C-alpha cells in the first residue's frame, strides 16, 4: 500500500503536460494530497476554466499513483479560489526560465487583462528590453514576446 507521504512525493514528480519541464506541484495546480478513508484524494485547480490539459492532468496523476500501489484514487477539481500565477513556486519559476519561458513576477496577477503592462525579462539573455508580439503563445496561458537585445522570441506565462 502506498503511504500518504509517498503519494505526495510521487505527485510532485508529475510534469505538466503542456510544459514538461515543470511539475504540477511547482505550477501550483495540485492543492492537496490527502486520504479519505481508503481513498487517496488529490485536489487540483486548473490554470483556467476550460484548460484543455485538465483531463490529461487528472489521468496522469491517477495513472502514476495506481501504478505505484495506491488502491483507490479520486481526483477532485476545485475551482474556487481560482488558480493564480502567484501559486507557482520559486523553483517552478526557475524551471520555466531555464526552459525558455519567462515566468510572471510574483504579485503580477493584479495586471491580469493588461498584458501590455507586463514586461517580462528575456529568459535567454535577461534583458528587460522586450516587446509584446502576440497575446497568445504556444498555449492560451502564454503570450509571445521578443527581446530587443538578443532578438529571440520567447513565451511569457501570463500573470493571472
Amino acid at each position: 500500500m502506498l503511504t500518504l507521504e509517498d503519494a505526495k512525493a510521487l505527485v510532485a514528480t508529475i510534469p505538466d503536460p503542456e510544459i514538461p519541464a515543470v511539475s504540477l506541484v511547482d505550477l501550483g495546480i495540485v492543492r492537496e494530497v490527502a486520504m479519505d478513508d481508503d481513498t487517496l484524494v488529490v485536489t487540483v485547480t486548473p490554470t483556467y476554466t476550460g484548460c484543455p490539459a485538465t483531463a490529461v492532468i487528472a489521468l496522469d496523476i491517477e495513472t502514476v499513483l495506481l501504478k505505484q500501489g495506491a488502491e483507490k484514487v479520486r481526483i477532485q477539481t476545485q475551482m474556487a479560489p481560482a488558480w493564480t500565477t502567484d501559486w507557482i513556486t520559486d523553483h517552478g519559476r526557475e524551471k520555466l526560465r531555464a526552459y525558455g519561458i519567462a515566468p510572471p513576477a510574483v504579485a503580477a496577477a493584479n495586471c491580469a487583462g493588461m498584458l501590455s503592462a507586463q514586461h517580462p525579462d528575456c529568459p535567454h539573455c535577461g534583458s528587460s528590453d522586450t516587446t509584446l508580439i502576440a497575446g497568445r503563445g504556444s498555449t492560451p496561458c502564454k503570450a509571445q514576446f521578443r527581446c530587443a537585445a538578443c532578438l529571440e522570441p520567447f513565451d511569457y506565462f501570463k500573470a493571472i
Side-chain angles (χ1 to χ4, degrees), residues 55-145:
V56 174
I57 290 168
L59 182 61
D60 287 351
I61 294 169
E62 185 176 24
T63 300
V64 166
L65 293 174
L66 290 172
K67 276 187 176 180
Q68 294 300 319
E71 292 180 15
K72 295 181 185 177
V73 175
R74 183 174 77 236
I75 308 302
Q76 183 172 289
T77 302
Q78 183 175 333
M79 300 304 286
W83 179 87
T84 170
T85 50
D86 288 345
W87 293 357
I88 301 172
T89 66
D90 290 342
H91 191 244
R93 290 174 197 284
E94 287 307 314
K95 284 182 173 181
L96 285 170
R97 189 174 290 107
Y99 193 63
I101 298 171
V106 175
N110 62 356
C111 294
M114 298 181 293
L115 190 54
S116 60
Q118 299 174 35
H119 297 285
D121 290 344
C122 175
H124 305 293
C125 73
S127 172
S128 60
D129 189 5
T130 60
T131 305
L132 176 67
I133 297 172
R136 293 194 84 171
S138 60
T139 61
C141 58
K142 294 186 285 258
Q144 186 77 177
F145 277 75

Side-chain angles (χ1 to χ4, degrees), residues 4 17 22 31 73 123 132 137 145 152-153 159:
L4 181 58
V22 182
R31 288 196 139 164
V73 175
L132 176 67
F145 277 75
E152 288 292 325

